[in-house]
Amino acid sequence: MTSSFRFGAEAYTWFMNNNGLTHVNRLGHMIDITAQAGFAGIEPIFNWMGDLPDPESLAKKLNEQGVELAAIALALDWNGTEETEQERYEADRAIALLKHFPGALLCTVQKPTGRHDLEIRRQNLVNIVNRVSRRAVDQGIPCSFHPNSPHSSITRTEEDYRVILESLDASVTGWTPDVGHMINGGMDPLTKMKEYASLINLVHFKDWNGEPEFALLGKGKVDFDGITRWLIEQNYSGWIICEDEGPEAMDDPDGVTLHDGRWVYETLLPSVL
Amino acid sequence: MPFVETNGINLYYEERGTGEPLLLIMGITAPGSVWEKHADYWQQDFRCIMGDNRGVGQSDKPAGPYTTAQMADDYAGLIDKLGLQSVRVIGVSMGSTIAQQLALRHPDKVRSLVLMCPWARCDRTAEAIFRHMATIKARLRPEEFATYIQLLIYAKRSWDDDTMFAAFLTGRQQAAVDSSPQPLHGLEGQAEACITHNTLAELPTINKPCLVIGGQNDIFTPFWMSEEVAGAIPNSDLHLYEGAGHAFHWECIDDFNPRVRDWLLAH
């Protein structure tokens, strides 16, 4: 048995400290650590790439370390019935950057702002995600929608998933199952992944122990062996991005990322292949 | 919003009209509301019950694959929950395969059948079409996918008609902004049900009156399929509209609506 997917790191592991202020303008360093950890790719956060703001400098750094740009996470409020002018500007800038990196995905994320007016806001969000994704795909950039699970998120519960995922336009966007966010929202990740298998085009690994939420990869309750075996059976050939939000990441994101790389290549893969 | 829990899912349905119950089962991709132009007419004589099939509309869309037997059991549960006895059943396209299974698996619940553009089994062409629908659903824009469906179901007479063609263009635009599209996995589940449907050997056991009706120029479910079904069900009438396609029921609606009503009133 062999696997056709590749593993990467997410910049969010560094973002956790002080809402990104501590490690601002250190994407280059994150790429260094990502390479040291043995990961094939990285997923930066758009608008948090200050030291490598243009495609030339980013490509140079990635090539230097042999790391590929897997995706860029675009996290915006998207609280209106359609994008605001500023939101559209930001999305278009992310799309323009990604055009220089064929195959890299635009990972769309809504910043959580509350569960009020839930039904209409879910619908608005889907419409916006579909429209942004359509603009990106028209430029040759694949897209993936990433639900999350803070209590103020409208993409948290099983019903949120049903309503939103079932309205995504599969011709312009797929879905990023984030296994830690799913279990945090009360779902079994593997069951949900099987239910919406045809939408999956990016995967985020995050562990969870419910104390109160996330844990270092390999230290929680997510069934990574089962999920990884299923992805292998499905011949999944995309990215699996380790977005470790365990408490250790607050103080030592470098160490956490290095741990994640060891865990993936020395523990997880040997147990499933 | 009326839902019934049946066969493990929440099935959405609507009712219109009064009289004896008439169950309408829609085809692949379409919610029950697509019966509108027929229910408008038949509601004068019948209590029309229109469900959203498993996998589309406001009904649940569990992971597939589905089967027509399973989907028939969905409707059997609906009939029970509504406290109905034997009902008249009309199924169109995939709905007609579900209707066959309903008559086979729950004969006490079916009084008579109208099978619109039915098949008893898929040949390689039909299987390829259903698989292709699921494949391109994930690749074409909704308005492009709508165009493909239009190509499958409408005959030349409709494409050449200015009013119909204008409606096609409007339909594509509406598909582009549909707020509750069928999700990909729902279509995949339904396509699998269509492909695996095979009742040819059992159809002779259906002892209900049956009207098989379709379009002579149907390129989606060709007339040989209707002939095969009508030939297998003992007490069946066959009517094929000349020059009409899979959407014969809209293309010939002035004749179709009263013809079906009259047949139902007699059976």
Side-chain angles (χ1 to χ4, degrees):
Chain A
M1 184 101 76
T2 181
S3 66
S4 44
F5 45 70
R6 290 183 291 167
F7 284 91
E10 232 276 5
Y12 196 81
T13 301
W14 285 268
F15 189 90
M16 285 173 65
N17 196 306
N18 222 349
N19 272 323
L21 287 182
T22 303
H23 299 288
V24 69
N25 294 328
R26 299 192 74 214
L27 178 55
H29 171 76
M30 296 171 207
I31 293 172
D32 292 338
I33 300 299
T34 296
Q36 257 185 263
F39 286 128
I42 188 169
E43 182 181 332
I45 299 168
F46 190 67
N47 274 340
W48 196 54
M49 304 166 67
D51 55 324
L52 302 170
D54 57 278
E56 292 76 24
S57 59
L58 178 59
K60 184 165 182 280
K61 182 64 187 182
L62 290 167
N63 291 340
E64 167 195 310
Q65 291 291 5
V67 171
E68 194 172 320
L69 185 69
I72 288 180
L74 176 69
L76 295 173
D77 291 338
W78 288 328
N79 269 322
T81 54
E82 51 192 62
E83 294 166 274
T84 65
E85 192 173 313
Q86 179 64 21
E87 285 169 348
R88 179 164 183 139
Y89 172 73
E90 299 295 346
D92 285 346
R93 283 181 55 234
I95 290 166
L97 175 58
L98 281 161
K99 283 182 73 175
H100 295 268
F101 298 90
L105 296 97
L106 179 69
C107 183
T108 51
V109 186
Q110 186 189 40
K111 290 180 178 176
T113 57
R115 288 182 63 84
H116 53 282
D117 301 316
L118 189 55
E119 281 187 22
I120 189 62
R121 290 180 61 233
R122 281 179 186 147
Q123 186 64 66
N124 289 342
L125 173 61
V126 172
N127 288 340
I128 290 171
V129 168
N130 283 339
R131 294 294 157 217
V132 171
S133 302
R134 182 178 283 234
R135 288 210 306 285
V137 166
D138 282 344
Q139 302 288 321
I141 293 148
C143 299
S144 189
F145 176 67
H146 178 294
N148 48 32
S149 69
H151 287 278
S152 54
S153 170
I154 64 172
T155 66
R156 170 183 172 84
T157 69
E158 183 155 29
E159 189 185 316
D160 293 336
Y161 273 62
R162 181 178 63 75
V163 171
I164 292 170
L165 294 191
E166 292 187 4
S167 296
L168 290 180
D169 178 355
S171 71
V172 297
T173 182
W175 164 49
T176 310
D178 182 304
V179 299
H181 280 306
M182 282 193 279
I183 196 171
N184 198 41
M187 288 163 275
D188 175 67
L190 185 50
T191 300
K192 198 53 64 178
M193 288 170 77
K194 288 176 176 175
E195 189 172 342
Y196 297 107
S198 53
L199 285 179
I200 297 171
N201 63 350
L202 182 61
V203 176
H204 278 198
F205 273 7
K206 184 196 268 74
D207 215 338
W208 178 93
N209 60 9
E211 300 170 13
E213 285 185 340
F214 304 120
L216 195 65
L217 272 176
K219 303 295 186 185
K221 299 179 177 175
V222 174
D223 175 22
F224 287 109
D225 282 12
I227 291 166
T228 308
R229 278 195 201 96
W230 179 78
L231 288 170
I232 291 168
E233 289 160 13
Q234 299 296 301
N235 290 308
Y236 174 68
S237 59
W239 289 99
I240 300 177
I241 301 295
C242 298
E243 186 182 7
D244 205 315
E245 292 183 33
E248 297 87 342
M250 186 66 65
D251 296 324
D252 186 18
D254 289 5
V256 163
T257 300
L258 294 172
H259 156 85
D260 292 347
R262 283 194 304 274
W263 176 79
V264 161
Y265 297 114
E266 296 173 16
T267 301
L268 176 66
L269 287 180
S271 71
V272 300
L273 292 176
Chain B
M1 283 194 165
F3 285 92
V4 295
E5 190 180 344
T6 167
N7 199 26
I9 64 166
N10 294 302
L11 189 91
Y12 176 82
Y13 72 99
E14 289 178 5
E15 292 192 29
R16 298 168 61 181
T18 56
E20 292 181 350
L22 174 63
L23 178 64
L24 306 178
I25 309 181
M26 185 41 68
I28 192 170
T29 78
S33 55
V34 174
W35 282 108
E36 180 179 5
K37 288 178 180 172
H38 305 306
D40 278 351
Y41 188 90
W42 296 332
Q43 68 178 1
Q44 300 166 67
D45 297 279
F46 299 99
R47 172 187 173 190
C48 299
I49 300 160
M50 301 162 283
D52 284 352
N53 291 317
R54 167 187 295 250
V56 74
Q58 298 182 72
S59 293
D60 282 352
K61 308 168 189 68
Y66 310 154
T67 65
T68 52
Q70 172 191 53
M71 296 172 88
D73 292 352
D74 296 344
Y75 282 99
L78 173 64
I79 292 168
D80 285 342
K81 289 285 173 58
L82 293 179
L84 305 176
Q85 304 299 316
S86 185
V87 307
R88 294 174 174 89
V89 181
I90 302 182
V92 59
S93 198
M94 178 182 75
S96 72
T97 63
I98 298 170
Q100 292 168 39
Q101 291 280 26
L102 189 59
L104 288 168
R105 298 169 65 81
H106 307 276
D108 57 306
K109 299 188 195 307
V110 175
R111 171 170 172 171
S112 61
L113 287 162
V114 176
L115 302 178
M116 297 161 59
C117 40
W119 60 95
R121 57 192 172 144
C122 274
D123 64 354
R124 289 192 180 114
T125 307
E127 177 174 351
I129 290 174
F130 286 120
R131 295 208 184 283
H132 192 56
M133 285 172 71
T135 299
I136 62 176
K137 165 84 166 175
R139 288 163 171 77
L140 297 186
R141 302 301 163 81
E143 61 273 23
E144 294 165 339
F145 184 74
T147 302
Y148 177 70
I149 299 299
Q150 289 168 356
L151 286 164
L152 275 182
I153 70 178
Y154 287 105
K156 175 169 165 50
R157 59 193 272 178
S158 293
W159 285 90
D160 291 346
D161 180 279
D162 289 344
T163 302
M164 292 285 281
F165 185 67
F168 294 170
L169 301 182
T170 300
R172 296 171 196 171
Q173 290 164 14
Q174 286 170 349
V177 295
D178 184 358
S179 63
S180 59
Q182 179 178 45
L184 176 56
H185 76 285
L187 173 59
E188 288 176 336
Q190 290 188 347
E192 204 63 29
C194 294
I195 290 164
T196 58
H197 178 77
N198 189 339
T199 54
L200 184 60
E202 292 89 54
L203 290 183
T205 69
I206 293 183
N207 60 6
K208 315 292 175 174
C210 179
L211 170 64
V212 176
I213 188 163
Q216 191 79 35
N217 288 34
D218 189 339
I219 60 170
F220 187 1
T221 57
F223 68 86
W224 70 260
M225 287 179 159
S226 291
E227 290 178 341
E228 186 169 77
V229 169
I233 298 177
N235 186 11
S236 64
D237 298 315
L238 172 64
H239 182 80
L240 294 173
Y241 284 100
E242 189 171 338
H246 194 74
F248 67 94
H249 50 99
W250 290 321
E251 293 174 329
C252 308
I253 194 164
D254 289 341
D255 179 271
F256 174 81
N257 276 346
R259 176 184 295 268
V260 168
R261 176 205 59 196
D262 292 345
W263 188 91
L264 286 170
L265 289 175
H267 299 88

